[in-house]
DNA sequence: GCCTGTTGAGAACTAATGTTTCAAAGGTGT
DNA sequence: ACACCTTTGAAACATTAGTTCTCAACAGGC
């Protein structure tokens, strides 16, 4: 995990430039591109700052490779190429909810993945996906086969759409979350359906729903 | 538009390699990377083939720039960086349907755009997006604020989800398309709702629905 | 003061990488 | 066979771009 202190102005400027350069040109900048854009007098100064950004986990440098800079996101994952999100399992009424294993990302391959808009991972960091099975989420306007993008979290702000696990009922559900003193109101997205009320202890929040994706064909 | 003839094996292999290289490494390959991967004896042969791929619109080359190869999609747009899809307007019951202007992509800026998974544009080429306004598409499990990704098309295969314009009713709708001899059956995604029947002349197909995206936060 | 680590500037060095040249081998149609 | 075009090959060339070296300004700590 990168330190979250704010960087010196010049170093922040370099980082910002690299990101915008990649977005505009589809490939990383050279040391000299950075030098010109950030008004730095010498390539060695750029190199020096890149070295520090590398050490502190903001980016990766491939030695002796032209344009070999790779930006890393907050969790140290490369964010250059296509963001692929692990589909960690299926979600269905009555079925147990797979855990979002915070580690194991690098080793445990052999997972289904789904591509998402880069903006999502840029905004939210590490994400997971669940494929919805069956019609049980129809009250949240979520169909069989839809993919739900999740940001793991134990907590949520009032009004946010969450993945909730109801302990007693042994049921997973996607609802809007409203804490009300000692109990919790779980409101379906479809406003014509009635909410569920449950005691706070009975409700485990597993993550926030960041996006829902439905594909055809 | 690129010619759609199938390419010679070696040239196809080069194209495929470039694409996978970019996906794996986040930057384009060098001429020599291609040479090794595609088992070509000389860099000049690579250069020769790249020149032809460039001429035929499969890719772009930035002269004198290391790794300056940029892949183009079927409509000649760069597909390296983030695929942004134009949000051409809103769709709502009773409102006219904005046209998918096949041209004007480069010039007419100042459009809202939405990022989508690169895989979508890779599979379907040029796409457009509509933001759904109101609850009128609720029978398709599409909520207010959802974004519908459209591939422009005048025709559709049976069972595909389409953007249909009902001339008499002056109404846009998202339904599954089933032609039945002289009439058309438009089936809501929600199987508990009943289909609409209309004469074939009354139904204009504007495009196929490729994906539906819902965002939170 | 004196040291030490950080940041900066300028230039030179070297490896990486795009480009060019020249030649030859395969095709295809006449 | 001939002319013509595409494709392949090997090597050299030129530029780009990563790296390193030297020197200097500056700040904090002892």
């Amino acid at each position: 995990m990168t330190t979250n202190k704010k960087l010196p102005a010049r170093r922040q400027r370099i980082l910002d430039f690299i990101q915008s350069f990649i977005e505009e040109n589809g490939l990383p900048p050279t040391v000299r591109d950075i030098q010109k854009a950030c008004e730095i007098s010498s390539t060695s100064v750029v190199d020096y700052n890149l070295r520090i950004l590398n050490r502190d986990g903001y980016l990766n440098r491939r030695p002796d490779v032209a344009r070999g800079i790779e930006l890393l996101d907050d969790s140290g994952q490369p964010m250059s190429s296509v963001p692929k999100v692990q589909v960690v399992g299926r979600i269905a009424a009555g079925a147990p909810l797979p855990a979002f294993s915070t580690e194991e990302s690098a080793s445990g391959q052999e997972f289904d993945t789904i591509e998402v808009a880069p903006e999502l991972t840029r905004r939210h960091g590490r994400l997971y996906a669940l494929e919805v099975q069956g019609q049980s989420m129809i009250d949240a306007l979520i169909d069989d086969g839809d993919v739900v993008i999740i940001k793991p979290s134990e907590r949520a702000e009032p009004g946010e759409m969450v993945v909730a696990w109801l302990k007693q009922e042994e049921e997973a559900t996607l609802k809007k979350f409203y804490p009300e003193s000692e109990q919790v109101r779980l409101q379906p997205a479809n406003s014509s359906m009635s909410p569920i009320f449950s005691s706070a202890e009975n409700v485990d929040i597993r993550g926030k729903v960041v996006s829902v994706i439905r594909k055809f064909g």
Side-chain angles (χ1 to χ4, degrees), chain A residues 49-115:
Chain A
N49 284 286
L50 287 179
R51 199 169 303 197
I52 295 183
L53 287 168
N54 189 188
R55 163 172 59 88
D56 293 349
Y58 292 95
L59 50 81
N60 231 309
R61 295 182 82 187
R62 280 167 261 204
D64 300 321
V65 169
R67 303 171 184 275
I69 297 176
E70 184 177 42
L71 285 182
L72 304 177
D73 65 19
D74 292 339
S75 38
Q77 302 301 118
M79 63 182 220
S80 40
S81 56
V82 186
K84 289 190 171 64
V85 172
Q86 279 187 7
V87 179
V88 294
R90 299 169 195 287
I91 180 174
L97 203 53
F100 308 136
S101 41
T102 327
E103 297 304 323
E104 96 173 55
S105 46
S107 52
Q109 306 292 73
E110 305 317 322
F111 259 115
D112 264 10
T113 60
I114 180 178
E115 289 186 10

Coordinates of all heavy atoms in Angstrom, one line a residue, chain A residues 49-115:
Chain A
N49 N 13.3 11.7 -9.6 CA 11.9 11.7 -9.0 C 11.2 10.4 -9.4 O 10.4 9.9 -8.6 CB 11.2 12.9 -9.6 CG 11.6 14.2 -8.8 OD1 11.2 14.4 -7.7 ND2 12.3 15.1 -9.5
L50 N 11.4 9.9 -10.6 CA 10.8 8.7 -11.0 C 11.3 7.6 -10.1 O 10.5 6.7 -9.7 CB 11.1 8.3 -12.4 CG 10.4 9.2 -13.5 CD1 10.8 8.7 -14.9 CD2 8.9 9.0 -13.3
R51 N 12.6 7.6 -9.7 CA 13.1 6.6 -8.9 C 12.4 6.6 -7.5 O 12.1 5.5 -7.0 CB 14.6 6.8 -8.7 CG 15.4 5.6 -8.2 CD 16.9 5.9 -8.3 NE 17.3 6.2 -9.7 CZ 18.5 6.1 -10.1 NH1 19.5 5.8 -9.3 NH2 18.8 6.4 -11.4
I52 N 12.1 7.8 -7.0 CA 11.5 7.9 -5.7 C 10.0 7.4 -5.8 O 9.5 6.7 -5.0 CB 11.5 9.3 -5.2 CG1 13.0 9.7 -4.9 CG2 10.7 9.5 -3.9 CD1 13.2 11.0 -4.3
L53 N 9.3 7.9 -6.9 CA 8.0 7.4 -7.1 C 7.9 5.9 -7.2 O 6.9 5.3 -6.8 CB 7.4 8.1 -8.4 CG 7.1 9.6 -8.2 CD1 6.8 10.2 -9.6 CD2 5.9 9.8 -7.3
N54 N 8.9 5.3 -7.8 CA 9.0 3.9 -7.9 C 9.2 3.3 -6.6 O 8.5 2.3 -6.2 CB 10.2 3.5 -8.8 CG 10.3 2.1 -9.2 OD1 11.2 1.6 -9.8 ND2 9.2 1.3 -8.9
R55 N 10.1 3.8 -5.8 CA 10.4 3.2 -4.4 C 9.1 3.3 -3.6 O 8.8 2.4 -2.9 CB 11.5 4.0 -3.8 CG 11.6 3.9 -2.3 CD 12.8 4.5 -1.7 NE 12.9 5.9 -1.9 CZ 12.4 6.9 -1.1 NH1 11.7 6.5 -0.1 NH2 12.5 8.2 -1.4
D56 N 8.4 4.4 -3.7 CA 7.2 4.6 -2.9 C 5.9 3.9 -3.4 O 4.8 4.1 -2.9 CB 6.9 6.1 -2.7 CG 8.1 6.7 -1.9 OD1 8.9 6.0 -1.3 OD2 8.1 8.0 -1.8
G57 N 6.1 3.2 -4.5 CA 5.0 2.3 -5.0 C 4.0 3.0 -5.8 O 2.9 2.6 -6.0
Y58 N 4.3 4.2 -6.4 CA 3.4 4.9 -7.2 C 3.4 4.4 -8.7 O 2.5 4.6 -9.5 CB 3.6 6.4 -7.2 CG 3.2 7.0 -5.9 CD1 4.2 7.3 -4.9 CD2 1.9 7.4 -5.6 CE1 3.9 7.8 -3.7 CE2 1.6 7.9 -4.3 CZ 2.6 8.1 -3.4 OH 2.2 8.7 -2.2
L59 N 4.6 3.9 -9.0 CA 4.7 3.4 -10.4 C 5.8 2.3 -10.5 O 6.5 2.1 -9.5 CB 5.0 4.6 -11.4 CG 6.2 5.5 -11.0 CD1 7.5 4.9 -11.3 CD2 6.0 6.8 -11.7
N60 N 5.9 1.7 -11.6 CA 6.8 0.7 -11.9 C 7.7 1.1 -13.1 O 7.2 1.7 -14.0 CB 6.1 -0.6 -12.3 CG 6.6 -1.8 -11.5 OD1 7.8 -2.0 -11.5 ND2 5.6 -2.5 -10.9
R61 N 9.0 0.8 -13.0 CA 9.9 1.1 -14.1 C 10.5 -0.1 -14.7 O 11.1 -0.9 -13.9 CB 11.0 2.1 -13.7 CG 10.4 3.4 -13.3 CD 11.6 4.3 -12.9 NE 12.2 5.0 -14.1 CZ 13.3 5.7 -14.1 NH1 13.9 5.9 -12.9 NH2 13.7 6.3 -15.2
R62 N 10.4 -0.3 -16.0 CA 11.1 -1.5 -16.6 C 12.4 -1.0 -17.1 O 12.5 -0.1 -18.0 CB 10.3 -2.0 -17.7 CG 9.1 -2.9 -17.2 CD 8.2 -3.2 -18.3 NE 7.0 -2.3 -18.2 CZ 5.8 -2.6 -18.7 NH1 5.6 -3.7 -19.3 NH2 4.8 -1.8 -18.5
P63 N 13.5 -1.5 -16.5 CA 14.8 -1.0 -16.8 C 15.1 -1.2 -18.3 O 14.8 -2.2 -18.9 CB 15.8 -1.8 -16.0 CG 14.9 -2.5 -14.9 CD 13.6 -2.6 -15.5
D64 N 15.8 -0.2 -18.9 CA 16.2 -0.3 -20.3 C 15.1 -0.5 -21.3 O 15.4 -1.0 -22.3 CB 17.3 -1.4 -20.4 CG 18.5 -1.1 -19.5 OD1 18.9 0.0 -19.4 OD2 19.0 -2.1 -18.9
V65 N 13.9 -0.1 -20.9 CA 12.8 -0.2 -21.8 C 12.3 1.1 -22.1 O 12.0 1.9 -21.2 CB 11.7 -1.1 -21.2 CG1 10.4 -1.0 -22.1 CG2 12.2 -2.6 -21.1
A66 N 12.2 1.5 -23.4 CA 11.7 2.8 -23.8 C 10.3 2.9 -23.3 O 9.4 2.0 -23.6 CB 11.8 2.9 -25.3
R67 N 10.0 4.0 -22.7 CA 8.6 4.3 -22.2 C 8.2 3.2 -21.2 O 6.9 2.9 -21.1 CB 7.6 4.4 -23.3 CG 8.0 5.4 -24.3 CD 7.2 5.4 -25.6 NE 7.7 6.4 -26.6 CZ 7.3 7.7 -26.6 NH1 6.5 8.1 -25.6 NH2 7.8 8.5 -27.5
G68 N 9.1 2.6 -20.5 CA 8.7 1.5 -19.6 C 8.1 1.9 -18.3 O 8.4 1.3 -17.2
I69 N 7.3 2.9 -18.2 CA 6.7 3.4 -17.0 C 5.3 2.8 -16.9 O 4.6 2.8 -17.9 CB 6.6 4.9 -16.9 CG1 8.0 5.5 -16.9 CG2 5.8 5.3 -15.7 CD1 8.0 7.0 -16.9
E70 N 5.0 2.3 -15.8 CA 3.7 1.7 -15.6 C 3.1 2.3 -14.3 O 3.7 2.1 -13.2 CB 3.8 0.2 -15.4 CG 2.5 -0.6 -15.3 CD 2.8 -2.1 -15.3 OE1 3.8 -2.5 -14.6 OE2 2.1 -2.9 -16.0
L71 N 1.9 2.9 -14.4 CA 1.3 3.5 -13.2 C 0.7 2.4 -12.3 O 0.1 1.5 -12.9 CB 0.3 4.5 -13.6 CG 0.9 5.9 -14.1 CD1 -0.3 6.9 -14.4 CD2 1.8 6.5 -13.0
L72 N 0.7 2.6 -11.0 CA 0.1 1.6 -10.1 C -1.1 2.3 -9.4 O -1.0 3.5 -9.1 CB 1.1 1.1 -9.1 CG 2.4 0.5 -9.7 CD1 3.3 0.1 -8.6 CD2 2.0 -0.7 -10.6
D73 N -2.1 1.6 -9.1 CA -3.2 2.2 -8.3 C -2.9 2.1 -6.8 O -1.8 1.6 -6.4 CB -4.5 1.5 -8.7 CG -4.6 0.1 -8.3 OD1 -3.8 -0.3 -7.5 OD2 -5.4 -0.7 -8.9
D74 N -3.9 2.5 -6.0 CA -3.7 2.5 -4.6 C -3.3 1.2 -4.0 O -2.7 1.2 -2.9 CB -4.9 3.1 -3.9 CG -5.1 4.5 -4.3 OD1 -4.1 5.2 -4.7 OD2 -6.3 5.0 -4.1
S75 N -3.7 0.1 -4.6 CA -3.4 -1.2 -4.0 C -2.2 -1.8 -4.7 O -1.9 -3.0 -4.6 CB -4.6 -2.1 -4.1 OG -5.3 -1.9 -5.3
G76 N -1.4 -1.0 -5.4 CA -0.2 -1.5 -6.0 C -0.4 -2.3 -7.3 O 0.6 -2.9 -7.8
Q77 N -1.6 -2.4 -7.8 CA -1.8 -3.1 -9.0 C -1.6 -2.2 -10.2 O -1.9 -1.0 -10.2 CB -3.3 -3.6 -9.1 CG -3.6 -4.5 -7.9 CD -2.7 -5.8 -7.8 OE1 -2.0 -5.9 -6.9 NE2 -2.7 -6.6 -8.9
P78 N -1.1 -2.8 -11.3 CA -0.9 -1.9 -12.5 C -2.3 -1.4 -13.0 O -3.3 -2.2 -13.0 CB -0.4 -2.9 -13.6 CG 0.2 -4.0 -12.8 CD -0.6 -4.1 -11.5
M79 N -2.4 -0.2 -13.3 CA -3.7 0.3 -13.8 C -3.6 0.8 -15.2 O -4.5 1.4 -15.7 CB -4.2 1.5 -12.9 CG -3.3 2.7 -12.9 SD -4.0 3.9 -11.8 CE -3.7 5.4 -12.7
S80 N -2.5 0.4 -15.9 CA -2.4 0.8 -17.3 C -3.4 0.0 -18.2 O -4.3 0.5 -18.7 CB -1.0 0.6 -17.7 OG -0.5 -0.6 -17.2
S81 N -3.1 -1.3 -18.3 CA -3.9 -2.1 -19.3 C -5.3 -2.1 -18.9 O -5.9 -1.3 -18.2 CB -3.3 -3.5 -19.3 OG -3.3 -4.0 -18.0
V82 N -6.0 -3.1 -19.4 CA -7.4 -3.2 -19.2 C -7.7 -3.7 -17.8 O -7.2 -4.7 -17.4 CB -8.0 -4.2 -20.2 CG1 -9.5 -4.2 -20.1 CG2 -7.6 -3.9 -21.6
P83 N -8.5 -2.9 -17.1 CA -8.9 -3.4 -15.7 C -9.8 -4.6 -15.8 O -10.9 -4.5 -16.3 CB -9.6 -2.2 -15.1 CG -9.5 -1.1 -16.1 CD -9.2 -1.7 -17.4
K84 N -9.3 -5.7 -15.3 CA -10.1 -6.9 -15.2 C -10.5 -7.1 -13.8 O -9.7 -7.0 -12.9 CB -9.4 -8.1 -15.8 CG -9.1 -8.1 -17.3 CD -8.6 -9.4 -17.7 CE -8.6 -9.5 -19.2 NZ -7.7 -8.5 -19.9
V85 N -11.8 -7.4 -13.6 CA -12.3 -7.6 -12.2 C -12.6 -9.1 -12.1 O -13.2 -9.7 -12.9 CB -13.5 -6.7 -12.0 CG1 -14.2 -7.1 -10.7 CG2 -13.2 -5.3 -12.1
Q86 N -12.2 -9.6 -11.0 CA -12.5 -11.0 -10.7 C -13.9 -11.3 -10.4 O -14.5 -10.6 -9.6 CB -11.7 -11.5 -9.5 CG -10.2 -11.9 -9.8 CD -9.5 -12.5 -8.6 OE1 -10.2 -12.8 -7.6 NE2 -8.3 -12.7 -8.7
V87 N -14.5 -12.2 -11.1 CA -15.8 -12.7 -10.8 C -15.7 -13.8 -9.7 O -15.3 -14.9 -10.0 CB -16.6 -13.3 -12.0 CG1 -17.9 -13.7 -11.6 CG2 -16.6 -12.2 -13.1
V88 N -15.9 -13.4 -8.5 CA -15.5 -14.3 -7.4 C -16.6 -15.4 -7.1 O -16.4 -16.3 -6.3 CB -15.2 -13.6 -6.1 CG1 -14.0 -12.7 -6.2 CG2 -16.4 -12.7 -5.7
G89 N -17.7 -15.2 -7.8 CA -18.7 -16.2 -7.6 C -20.1 -15.8 -8.0 O -20.3 -14.8 -8.7
R90 N -21.1 -16.5 -7.6 CA -22.4 -16.2 -7.9 C -23.2 -15.8 -6.7 O -22.9 -16.2 -5.6 CB -23.1 -17.4 -8.6 CG -22.4 -17.8 -9.9 CD -22.9 -19.1 -10.4 NE -22.0 -19.6 -11.4 CZ -21.9 -19.1 -12.6 NH1 -22.6 -18.1 -13.0 NH2 -21.0 -19.6 -13.5
I91 N -24.2 -15.0 -6.9 CA -25.0 -14.6 -5.8 C -26.5 -15.0 -6.1 O -26.9 -14.8 -7.2 CB -24.9 -13.1 -5.5 CG1 -25.8 -12.7 -4.3 CG2 -25.3 -12.3 -6.7 CD1 -25.6 -11.3 -3.9
A92 N -27.1 -15.6 -5.1 CA -28.5 -16.1 -5.4 C -29.1 -16.2 -4.0 O -28.5 -16.3 -3.0 CB -28.5 -17.5 -6.0
A93 N -30.4 -16.1 -4.0 CA -31.2 -16.2 -2.8 C -30.9 -17.5 -2.2 O -31.0 -18.6 -2.8 CB -32.7 -16.0 -3.0
G94 N -30.6 -17.6 -0.9 CA -30.4 -18.9 -0.2 C -29.1 -19.5 -0.4 O -28.7 -20.4 0.3
A95 N -28.2 -18.9 -1.3 CA -26.9 -19.5 -1.4 C -25.9 -18.7 -0.6 O -26.1 -17.5 -0.4 CB -26.5 -19.4 -2.9
P96 N -24.9 -19.4 -0.1 CA -23.9 -18.6 0.7 C -23.1 -17.6 -0.2 O -23.0 -17.8 -1.4 CB -23.0 -19.7 1.2 CG -23.1 -20.9 0.3 CD -24.6 -20.8 -0.2
L97 N -22.7 -16.6 0.4 CA -22.0 -15.5 -0.3 C -20.5 -15.8 -0.3 O -19.9 -15.9 0.7 CB -22.3 -14.2 0.4 CG -22.2 -12.9 -0.4 CD1 -23.1 -13.0 -1.7 CD2 -22.8 -11.8 0.5
P98 N -19.9 -15.8 -1.5 CA -18.4 -16.0 -1.5 C -17.7 -14.8 -0.8 O -18.2 -13.7 -0.9 CB -18.1 -16.0 -3.0 CG -19.3 -15.7 -3.7 CD -20.5 -15.6 -2.8
A99 N -16.6 -15.1 -0.3 CA -15.9 -14.0 0.4 C -15.0 -13.2 -0.6 O -14.6 -13.8 -1.6 CB -14.9 -14.6 1.5
F100 N -14.8 -12.0 -0.3 CA -13.9 -11.2 -1.1 C -12.5 -11.3 -0.5 O -12.1 -10.6 0.4 CB -14.3 -9.7 -1.1 CG -15.8 -9.5 -1.5 CD1 -16.6 -8.7 -0.8 CD2 -16.3 -10.3 -2.6 CE1 -17.9 -8.5 -1.2 CE2 -17.6 -10.1 -2.9 CZ -18.4 -9.2 -2.2
S101 N -11.8 -12.2 -1.0 CA -10.4 -12.5 -0.5 C -9.5 -11.3 -0.8 O -9.2 -11.0 -1.9 CB -9.8 -13.7 -1.1 OG -10.1 -13.8 -2.5
T102 N -9.2 -10.5 0.3 CA -8.5 -9.3 0.1 C -7.1 -9.6 -0.5 O -6.5 -8.7 -1.2 CB -8.3 -8.5 1.4 OG1 -9.5 -8.8 2.2 CG2 -8.1 -7.1 1.2
E103 N -6.5 -10.7 -0.2 CA -5.2 -11.1 -0.7 C -5.4 -12.1 -1.8 O -6.5 -12.4 -2.3 CB -4.3 -11.6 0.4 CG -4.0 -10.5 1.4 CD -3.4 -9.3 0.8 OE1 -2.6 -9.4 -0.1 OE2 -3.7 -8.2 1.3
E104 N -4.3 -12.8 -2.2 CA -4.3 -13.9 -3.2 C -4.5 -13.4 -4.6 O -4.6 -14.2 -5.5 CB -5.4 -14.9 -2.9 CG -6.7 -14.7 -3.6 CD -7.7 -15.8 -3.5 OE1 -8.1 -16.1 -2.3 OE2 -8.1 -16.4 -4.5
S105 N -4.6 -12.1 -4.8 CA -4.9 -11.6 -6.2 C -3.8 -12.1 -7.2 O -4.2 -12.6 -8.2 CB -4.9 -10.1 -6.2 OG -3.8 -9.6 -5.5
A106 N -2.5 -12.1 -6.8 CA -1.5 -12.4 -7.8 C -1.4 -13.9 -8.0 O -1.4 -14.4 -9.1 CB -0.2 -11.9 -7.3
S107 N -1.5 -14.7 -6.9 CA -1.3 -16.1 -7.0 C -2.5 -16.8 -7.6 O -2.5 -17.5 -8.6 CB -0.9 -16.7 -5.7 OG -1.9 -16.3 -4.7
G108 N -3.6 -16.7 -6.9 CA -4.8 -17.5 -7.2 C -5.4 -17.1 -8.6 O -6.3 -16.3 -8.6
Q109 N -4.9 -17.6 -9.6 CA -5.4 -17.3 -10.9 C -6.7 -18.1 -11.2 O -7.4 -18.5 -10.3 CB -4.4 -17.6 -12.0 CG -3.1 -16.9 -11.8 CD -3.2 -15.4 -11.9 OE1 -3.7 -14.7 -11.0 NE2 -2.7 -14.8 -13.0
E110 N -6.9 -18.5 -12.4 CA -8.0 -19.4 -12.8 C -9.3 -18.9 -12.3 O -10.2 -19.6 -11.9 CB -7.7 -20.8 -12.2 CG -6.4 -21.4 -12.5 CD -6.0 -21.2 -14.0 OE1 -7.0 -21.3 -14.9 OE2 -4.9 -20.9 -14.3
F111 N -9.4 -17.6 -12.4 CA -10.7 -17.0 -12.0 C -11.3 -16.4 -13.3 O -10.6 -15.9 -14.2 CB -10.6 -15.8 -11.0 CG -10.9 -16.2 -9.6 CD1 -9.9 -16.3 -8.6 CD2 -12.2 -16.6 -9.3 CE1 -10.3 -16.6 -7.3 CE2 -12.5 -16.9 -8.0 CZ -11.6 -17.0 -7.0
D112 N -12.6 -16.5 -13.4 CA -13.3 -15.7 -14.4 C -13.1 -14.2 -14.2 O -13.0 -13.8 -13.0 CB -14.8 -16.0 -14.4 CG -15.1 -17.1 -15.4 OD1 -14.2 -17.7 -16.0 OD2 -16.3 -17.3 -15.7
T113 N -12.9 -13.5 -15.2 CA -12.8 -12.1 -15.0 C -13.7 -11.4 -16.0 O -14.2 -11.9 -17.0 CB -11.3 -11.6 -15.3 OG1 -11.0 -11.9 -16.7 CG2 -10.3 -12.2 -14.4
I114 N -14.0 -10.1 -15.7 CA -14.8 -9.3 -16.6 C -14.2 -8.0 -16.7 O -13.6 -7.4 -15.8 CB -16.3 -9.2 -16.0 CG1 -17.1 -8.3 -16.9 CG2 -16.2 -8.6 -14.6 CD1 -18.6 -8.2 -16.5
E115 N -14.2 -7.5 -17.9 CA -13.6 -6.1 -18.1 C -14.6 -5.1 -17.7 O -15.8 -5.2 -17.9 CB -13.3 -5.9 -19.6 CG -12.1 -6.7 -20.1 CD -11.7 -6.4 -21.5 OE1 -12.3 -5.4 -22.1 OE2 -10.9 -7.1 -22.1

